[in-house]
Amino acid sequence: MPIIPENYVHTRSTPFWDSCSIPEKLSGRYTTKPSVYGRICVMQGQITGRVFSATQPGTSEEIWVVKAGEFFVLKPENWYEMDAFSEGVYFNLDFFVDPAVVLTGSGIGQVLITREV
């Protein structure tokens, strides 16, 4: 699993979602912005997903499973898809950015934590 660089700054956290409140944006393929790492944090249940090839977008490179108490790191500019959510799933996403980069936009849904970089 990729490691978020130590100098990256935690800039945003999403609300916690369950199987009834997962945003539509996460039901298909999505990507992280340049210089931004995402971290899926599963508190209850399990999420299964796929990482897609950057050079061959339709090709799945890896299947991942994140269980309660585990994390999964999303690398910048890779494509991902969450395929399955177990009953009782409860999770959120955190975002970390290179301190030299200025982010624009609001990300996915409500932003709970925002820091000037």
Side-chain angles (χ1 to χ4, degrees):
M1 177 180 354
I3 296 173
I4 299 168
E6 286 185 28
N7 67 316
Y8 275 46
V9 179
H10 181 232
T11 57
R12 296 183 171 130
S13 290
T14 67
F16 281 90
W17 297 307
D18 60 23
S19 57
C20 297
S21 61
I22 297 168
E24 200 172 308
K25 290 180 183 181
L26 294 180
S27 63
R29 289 190 189 163
Y30 56 90
T31 187
T32 52
K33 294 180 180 182
S35 300
V36 175
Y37 280 82
R39 181 178 67 190
I40 300 171
C41 309
V42 178
M43 301 299 152
Q44 293 177 183
Q46 172 177 303
I47 300 173
T48 303
R50 294 183 284 164
V51 178
F52 290 90
S53 168
T55 57
Q56 298 176 347
T59 305
S60 177
E61 289 185 342
E62 175 187 0
I63 295 175
W64 49 266
V65 176
V66 188
K67 298 177 183 176
E70 296 179 347
F71 302 97
F72 184 78
V73 174
L74 308 170
K75 294 191 310 189
E77 300 184 87
N78 272 20
W79 285 91
Y80 300 91
E81 186 172 81
M82 293 185 198
D83 293 330
F85 301 92
S86 71
E87 186 175 324
V89 71
Y90 193 65
F91 73 101
N92 82 325
L93 296 171
D94 292 310
F95 296 96
F96 299 80
V97 66
D98 181 335
V101 172
V102 176
L103 293 178
T104 58
S106 62
I108 300 173
Q110 178 184 357
V111 175
L112 298 180
I113 299 172
T114 304
R115 291 189 195 130
E116 293 295 321
V117 197

